[in-house]
Amino acid sequence: MPKDPDNVQSRGPRHVAIIMDGNGRWAQARGRPRLYGHHAGARRVREVVEACPSLGIKYLTIFAFSTENWKRTQVEVAGLMSLFRRYIVKEARNLAASGVRVRFIGDRVRLDAKLVELMDMLEAETAGNDGVHLTIALNYGGRDEVARATKRLARDVAEGRLRPEDVDEETLPKYLDTRVLPDPDLVIRTSGEARISNFLLWQSAYSEYEFVDTLWPDFTAAELELLCKSYGSRERRFGAVPA
Ligand code: FPP
């Protein structure tokens, strides 16, 4: 998608992407199982989504489950999948009524059929909304996404719909899960870890990053607002020199 044409950010980010990290440590600090932290984290999602309109955030993308998260214990994985199903059932009406448009990115092949059905249902139910565009990354990995996109692109080449010499930087994004979304302006990671863990690798090439110590279940709309303000004072150059 087009990059910001004016370079200097006099306003807040339009697309914020969040790596919601720290649920496990939050629970551990309270002597509770990790899933307790994930449930607390899920409740935070609503506060953050609701804060978006007043902060001028049109697109919010959240990392709910990565392609690497399958390596967690069977209990935690099953608990997270159950949490996602319950979240969709419980939040569907609220999201639809608030004008939120929900999309999911990631590979659905490994997800259970009931969850995929609920995801499809929520996407369809909110497809006419144009408030906040909430994208939930579920069984998502940036490398996996690029590999799946490349496979589709290669198929188009093999079947004569695309010429190799026409492939450029604008081509691949059209095959990514995020093809209808602008690139994130700001990527936030909570819990003090300073890495991107395979999140939106292609899309965040020119994003601003904020790594904050807050554990995700403690993250508030007020902290998001501060990060948006700080973003507003940054100069984004996209590789160019200042004018
Ligand atoms: C990372 O914390 C968090 C996850 C792997 C799951 C993210 C899921 C949620 C916030 C729950 C709800 C989301 C939706 C959309 C309903 P961690 O477990 O790695 O924490 P740790 O680093 O402290 O162990």
Side-chain angles (χ1 to χ4, degrees), residues 38-213:
H38 294 316
H39 281 269
R43 288 193 291 277
R44 279 297 157 191
V45 173
R46 183 193 273 209
E47 177 179 337
V48 167
V49 174
E50 285 176 353
C52 286
S54 66
L55 298 174
I57 299 169
K58 183 77 181 168
Y59 298 90
L60 176 70
T61 300
I62 54 175
F63 206 177
F65 193 86
S66 77
T67 46
E68 290 73 35
N69 286 153
W70 297 104
K71 294 179 201 150
R72 297 186 174 205
T73 64
Q74 205 263 333
V75 169
E76 186 171 354
V77 170
L80 276 167
M81 293 301 151
S82 157
L83 170 60
F84 298 142
R85 286 194 297 271
R86 282 160 58 183
Y87 174 84
I88 294 174
V89 170
K90 194 165 147 253
E91 290 292 315
R93 192 173 302 159
N94 173 49
L95 290 165
S98 322
V100 176
R101 177 163 188 176
V102 183
R103 294 185 180 88
F104 292 90
I105 56 171
D107 191 357
R108 296 179 186 206
V109 169
R110 204 171 160 183
L111 299 175
D112 83 57
K114 179 65 191 166
L115 176 57
V116 173
E117 192 185 306
L118 289 169
M119 290 158 63
D120 287 341
M121 180 272 296
L122 186 56
E123 284 188 335
E125 264 184 26
T126 61
N129 287 348
D130 191 30
V132 175
H133 288 233
L134 171 66
T135 302
I136 303 175
L138 225 170
N139 193 27
Y140 174 87
R143 289 182 173 180
D144 176 70
E145 180 192 32
V146 170
R148 285 185 291 106
T150 307
K151 205 179 292 179
R152 289 196 288 269
L153 188 153
R155 200 170 291 136
D156 277 354
V157 169
E159 293 172 6
R161 287 185 292 273
L162 182 68
R163 297 188 312 166
E165 54 274 31
D166 291 337
V167 175
D168 60 18
E169 277 190 33
E170 309 298 321
T171 314
L172 191 71
K174 294 183 185 139
Y175 291 83
L176 294 173
D177 297 349
T178 52
R179 55 193 160 270
V180 298
L181 303 174
D183 288 342
D185 300 300
L186 174 64
V187 179
I188 299 169
R189 182 177 189 140
T190 58
S191 92
E193 310 290 350
R195 52 179 180 263
I196 59 171
S197 300
N198 207 6
F199 190 43
L200 302 176
L201 294 182
W202 175 282
Q203 299 87 339
S204 62
Y206 284 101
S207 302
E208 299 291 324
Y209 278 90
E210 287 281 5
F211 298 102
V212 297
D213 288 337

